[in-house]
Amino acid sequence: MCGIAGIVSSKALESDLKKMLLTQTHRGPDHMGSFKDNGFAILGHNRLAIIDLSPDANQPFTDNSGRYQLSFNGEIYNYKELKEELKNSYQFKTTSDTEVLLAAYIKWGKKCLHKFNGMFAFAIWDRKEKIIFAARDRFGVKPFYYTQENKFLYFSSEIKAIRSVINRDLPNKKVWANYFTYGSYGMPDETFFENIHQLPGGHLLSFFDGQLKMEKWYDFQVAVEKINTKNSFEEARAIYFNLLKDSISLRFRADVPLGFNISGGADSSLLLALVNEFEDKKRIKAYTFYTGDARYDELPWVEKMIATTNNPLNRVKFTAREVEKSAEFIVKLQDEPCGGIPTLAYSKIFEQAQKDGITVLLDGQGMDEQWAGYDYYLTEEKSQNTIQGVGKNSPFRPKVLSEKLRSLAEKPSYPEPFDNELQNMQFRDLLYTKIPRALRFNDRISMAYSTELREPFLDHRLVEFAFAQPAEFKIHKGVQKYMLREILKSLAPEDISFAPKRPLQTPQREWLGQNLKEWVETNLVILKHSKNQDWFDYKEIEKEWKLYLKGDQESSFHIWQLVNAAMLLKKQ
């Protein structure tokens, strides 16, 4: 992983680009580089060296002709296979995936995107045509933010980089209103800032002579429709298991030490088992967090799993005393609202990995969306819920908003391209709600500690295949992620493979109302005196807080929202 930045403008300043790069230097501490095409554009890059550690692979990277300049964040996992395909049309001078990406673009143009198996956000400047081409991977694992001003284009890996050189501090009030009213973090092209946009996952853009053009290059629905769904359960299981092993194998490609993150669920058990399918990876380190609260900790399950493989396990404890300091650091890095205490606890894994000299970590994100693992998938009618483990009552409290801000809220509407509710809910979670927000949270916390996070279960081949399977392969007699658990049966103890999903991993409910009570109240005061104080109804906030302290704690999300907002808005 790395950081990218650029300015397409006749007046682009190197000092502005340097400022952008310095704000995201945590993304790539190994090298900071830039390229300027005088009077047209300037590109920059923060490098975290993963594949081909030599200076020859530093970026911005130029092709042999000098026509193209590339700034690239991510990994092309199948770069070795593509390099073999390209060897007769391009003379390679490095062993990097960066050069393979650029060679692929030179040969195939935008069609190269369909050949990539990876996570990526990149920009290529064409010095001859004076046009920039940029693209983002299928599911938006890697970030790409941009804004336009006076027909100039600014882009970067993090919002803070754009904000460092352009006055883009105006909050997007509609997105904020929807966050409190519906728990939405915005649509795929939106951010919490006015006029700062995301390039959605699976999209590309070009910018020439002040004109920006965007198009979708990856159509998930079309990809799913191409999958053969006539296989028997056993045939589908065998196909999927082979894809799993190949995905893990590809994501082991690195010239730096690797580790992996696990929790106590079926997904992590599968990741652990798959890692140990490879003889040379049987001793790589595993990481897990715990809080010391037996009601929530998954450590006993993790230890039971690890006992079957004997991988070294690093147990990372996160306590209530660490929350305030951790939140200050992580919330600032996120730029936008983020997950609560579980996100903070998860970030400590990356802090520890960095201390241990581990540069790449694998993670088990994505199985619940492709195999229907969330509790609300069991409902007979369409569920509007996108938060797990909050009971039947709404976790949102829109009345804490002033009428003026609340009037801006607009219930998000998501496409329903499939002919059944289950797949439409999965589609929503995969491309609009759960996966996009989790990927953003996780990108920032891994990059905070200059660590690359890889998501083997989000290999597009896996997602497309699993998504296309019949509902009874996903949910069978009330057992969710059924095929996944059947695969795991032969690899792990049965009580692990069929353990129910635990929606909560930290005592956030208890900590906010007890250990962190004063900290919460301090932030509520900060909110009251922020320059956005007219957004809120403080009598309603006080009422909700008192109810919470008296035991109305089925959900703590609304309390975290207020604290998170206070920490972000005091900086704007």
Side-chain angles (χ1 to χ4, degrees):
M1 289 190 198
C2 303
I4 65 173
I7 305 170
V8 184
S9 161
S10 59
K11 300 176 182 177
L13 298 174
E14 290 182 64
S15 57
D16 279 350
L17 183 76
K18 185 176 181 180
K19 204 179 293 183
M20 293 173 76
L21 293 173
L22 287 173
T23 63
Q24 54 182 36
T25 189
H26 50 276
R27 298 188 68 89
D30 297 329
H31 178 260
M32 189 168 80
S34 64
F35 167 82
K36 187 174 186 181
D37 190 351
N38 283 319
F40 293 98
I42 185 166
L43 264 64
H45 190 262
N46 305 97
R47 186 183 184 199
L48 178 64
I50 304 290
I51 294 174
D52 187 345
L53 309 185
S54 74
D56 293 339
N58 286 343
Q59 300 183 49
F61 189 90
T62 188
D63 70 305
N64 295 327
S65 72
R67 174 177 172 177
Y68 299 99
Q69 293 285 335
L70 166 66
S71 186
F72 159 48
N73 170 29
E75 304 291 347
I76 306 301
Y77 299 121
N78 62 334
Y79 74 100
K80 290 183 178 180
E81 291 77 9
L82 290 174
K83 188 173 185 178
E84 184 67 21
E85 199 174 338
L86 290 161
K87 67 181 181 181
N88 294 325
S89 60
Y90 185 91
Q91 186 175 350
F92 289 93
K93 57 192 177 187
T94 73
T95 58
S96 70
D97 60 329
T98 301
E99 188 171 23
V100 172
L101 188 162
L102 189 53
Y105 176 75
I106 292 168
K107 182 173 178 63
W108 296 307
K110 66 183 180 181
K111 291 181 180 178
C112 71
L113 298 170
H114 296 281
K115 289 184 170 283
F116 296 153
N117 185 334
M119 55 178 187
F120 52 84
F122 66 83
I124 296 173
W125 175 249
D126 183 336
R127 295 177 68 187
K128 180 181 177 182
E129 299 296 335
K130 306 303 182 190
I131 187 170
I132 197 133
F133 174 85
R136 195 173 178 198
D137 64 72
R138 293 169 179 84
F139 301 121
V141 180
K142 294 289 92 202
F144 189 103
Y145 296 100
Y146 70 94
T147 190
Q148 289 180 265
E149 182 161 286
N150 300 324
K151 293 192 175 182
F152 301 153
L153 178 72
Y154 296 75
F155 65 87
S156 62
S157 294
E158 298 192 12
I159 291 171
K160 63 178 66 63
I162 292 173
R163 291 179 62 207
S164 72
V165 294
I166 287 189
N167 182 23
R168 284 283 188 268
D169 279 348
L170 285 176
N172 188 327
K173 292 182 181 179
K174 179 184 172 183
V175 174
W176 274 103
N178 282 351
Y179 171 62
F180 279 100
T181 306
Y182 302 108
S184 166
Y185 288 78
M187 298 301 275
D189 62 334
E190 292 180 317
T191 74
F192 281 76
F193 293 89
E194 286 281 2
N195 300 318
I196 295 182
H197 312 283
Q198 293 187 71
L199 178 63
H203 282 67
L204 61 85
L205 67 77
S206 60
F207 188 78
F208 173 71
D209 195 25
Q211 298 299 312
L212 186 147
K213 294 181 180 178
M214 188 186 304
E215 66 179 88
K216 182 197 287 189
W217 69 266
Y218 174 62
D219 191 317
F220 180 73
Q221 184 184 359
V222 170
V224 168
E225 288 171 352
K226 291 178 181 178
I227 302 296
N228 177 15
T229 57
K230 304 296 185 183
N231 296 306
S232 68
F233 185 86
E234 293 302 324
E235 289 169 336
R237 181 169 67 175
I239 293 169
Y240 189 75
F241 187 53
N242 286 330
L243 286 173
L244 277 170
K245 288 190 288 186
D246 189 57
S247 176
I248 294 285
S249 176
L250 287 174
R251 281 153 186 81
F252 276 145
R253 291 178 171 176
D255 297 326
V256 294
L258 299 98
F260 62 103
N261 303 333
I262 56 172
S263 59
D267 307 351
S268 287
S269 302
L270 183 61
L271 179 60
L272 174 66
L274 289 165
V275 164
N276 282 276
E277 286 280 308
F278 300 89
E279 193 64 35
D280 61 333
K281 298 296 187 293
K282 286 188 174 181
R283 297 298 295 165
I284 70 170
K285 284 186 178 179
Y287 290 83
T288 193
F289 75 78
Y290 70 106
T291 64
D293 190 320
R295 294 170 296 176
Y296 300 97
D297 282 346
E298 298 186 326
L299 188 58
W301 296 85
V302 171
E303 290 175 335
K304 188 168 188 175
M305 288 156 43
I306 284 286
T308 67
T309 64
N310 294 316
N311 288 83
L313 176 63
N314 200 320
R315 303 161 180 81
V316 181
K317 188 174 184 180
F318 187 73
T319 66
R321 291 192 301 274
E322 298 173 84
V323 169
E324 184 173 352
K325 184 179 178 182
S326 175
E328 283 290 340
F329 179 59
I330 296 300
V331 168
K332 180 181 177 182
L333 277 166
Q334 290 280 344
D335 291 317
E336 302 175 284
C338 61
I341 289 172
T343 299
L344 306 181
Y346 187 50
S347 74
K348 196 172 178 183
I349 285 178
F350 297 93
E351 181 182 13
Q352 185 60 50
Q354 184 186 47
K355 291 175 182 176
D356 294 344
I358 302 294
T359 310
V360 174
L361 286 172
L362 275 63
D363 180 281
Q365 190 78 48
M367 285 303 195
D368 288 305
E369 292 76 15
Q370 57 187 285
W371 287 111
Y374 295 119
D375 54 9
Y376 51 78
Y377 288 142
L378 290 170
T379 57
E380 291 184 9
E381 65 229 16
K382 180 180 174 183
S383 173
Q384 300 297 324
N385 198 4
T386 58
I387 296 180
Q388 169 102 342
V390 294
K392 294 182 179 180
N393 296 324
S394 172
F396 315 125
R397 303 292 188 273
K399 287 186 177 180
V400 302
L401 300 180
S402 65
E403 286 187 21
K404 187 176 180 181
L405 189 68
R406 197 163 69 237
S407 68
L408 300 177
E410 186 177 313
K411 191 172 185 178
S413 177
Y414 306 110
E416 297 185 347
F418 297 95
D419 62 5
N420 62 88
E421 292 297 351
L422 179 60
Q423 283 188 317
N424 283 328
M425 283 193 286
Q426 289 180 274
F427 180 77
R428 175 199 66 190
D429 287 354
L430 181 66
L431 295 174
Y432 289 87
T433 58
K434 295 192 78 77
I435 287 294
R437 73 190 185 215
L439 290 174
R440 196 248 296 168
F441 300 167
N442 293 350
D443 173 81
R444 301 305 181 278
I445 61 178
S446 62
M447 287 284 88
Y449 298 102
S450 306
T451 306
E452 176 168 287
L453 181 63
R454 296 181 174 181
E455 310 281 10
F457 297 158
L458 283 177
D459 185 308
H460 68 98
R461 299 169 301 166
L462 289 173
V463 179
E464 292 160 7
F465 184 84
F467 192 98
Q469 298 312 302
E472 59 269 24
F473 289 9
K474 301 171 185 176
I475 303 174
H476 180 70
K477 296 180 179 179
V479 176
Q480 295 179 269
K481 295 192 287 192
Y482 181 65
M483 179 176 284
L484 201 64
R485 297 181 191 279
E486 286 294 310
I487 291 173
L488 191 56
K489 259 170 60 174
S490 62
L491 302 170
E494 189 167 342
D495 59 342
I496 289 176
S497 58
F498 280 90
K501 184 174 180 64
R502 289 168 290 285
L504 304 173
Q505 292 86 38
T506 69
Q508 173 171 299
R509 296 173 178 179
E510 292 80 6
W511 283 3
L512 290 178
Q514 298 167 22
N515 313 58
L516 301 171
K517 179 175 175 288
E518 289 185 12
W519 179 66
V520 171
E521 290 174 345
T522 297
N523 277 288
L524 294 182
V525 171
I526 289 170
L527 196 63
K528 192 172 184 177
H529 294 96
S530 71
K531 65 180 182 181
N532 305 104
Q533 59 184 262
D534 61 334
W535 287 9
F536 300 97
D537 182 328
Y538 293 95
K539 287 184 179 178
E540 276 296 326
I541 290 176
E542 190 175 337
K543 174 186 165 187
E544 287 294 344
W545 180 232
K546 285 180 178 177
L547 286 170
Y548 189 81
L549 293 177
K550 286 179 180 177
D552 182 6
Q553 297 181 5
E554 187 174 26
S555 169
S556 58
F557 181 66
H558 60 295
I559 303 299
W560 170 255
Q561 283 183 305
L562 293 166
V563 170
N564 200 176
M567 299 181 78
L568 285 167
L569 295 173
K570 74 179 180 182
K571 299 177 185 301
Q572 293 180 26

